[in-house]
Amino acid sequence: MPVSPADARRLAAALPDVVDASSDRALNFQIDGKGFAWSWNERVHPKKPRVPRLDILAVRCPKDEKGPLQFANPEAFVQDPHYADYGAVVVRLDAIDEADLAELLAQGRESLLAAKRRPGGARTRRSPATR
């Protein structure tokens, strides 16, 4: 049975320390201000800003686990060049069941926590002035 954005919010909220920073336009799940799952943004019109999709979720994932996940359920995972070298998978909510999404969200949460435990903490974006 397909997962709705409301189901995704419920599943994420069930995880420890998760803050649901979602809006009516986009999903966003965080721990200590750092996201581990968020709405995928689609380029609808060339040269215009991307638009968040409530039915597609990007979830943090170790890079070495992306391939096996995508291979196991190719209908559920979107191949997006923007995420090719990034530690996240892009999943269609209508092509994944609740149990698999719950597991994926838990893994995304753990991936964020593991990054925060590494020396130097989780990667943060630098301001343009410090690049």
Side-chain angles (χ1 to χ4, degrees), residues 5 10 15-16 40 51 57 62 81-82 86 90 98 119:
R10 178 179 45 79
L15 297 170
W40 176 73
V51 178
L57 198 62
H82 180 75
Y86 185 72
V90 181
E98 269 194 38

Side-chain angles (χ1 to χ4, degrees), residues 47-129:
K47 299 185 181 181
K48 298 278 185 177
R50 292 177 179 257
V51 178
R53 298 258 318 247
L54 286 171
D55 61 330
I56 302 178
L57 198 62
V59 182
R60 283 184 65 108
C61 171
K63 288 181 188 178
D64 61 340
E65 293 180 21
K66 287 175 66 167
L69 280 171
Q70 293 167 335
F71 181 78
N73 190 352
E75 295 81 30
F77 293 96
V78 176
Q79 300 294 324
D80 183 338
H82 180 75
Y83 286 92
D85 292 326
Y86 185 72
V89 291
V90 181
V91 62
R92 300 175 206 278
L93 295 181
D94 65 355
I96 193 166
D97 64 36
E98 269 194 38
D100 288 341
L101 182 60
E103 183 176 341
L104 188 62
L105 288 170
Q107 290 172 350
R109 177 188 172 276
E110 183 54 38
S111 181
L112 174 62
L113 293 175
K116 289 176 70 171
R117 288 190 295 264
R118 284 195 305 261
R123 182 176 156 215
T124 58
R125 289 188 176 191
R126 296 183 313 188
S127 69

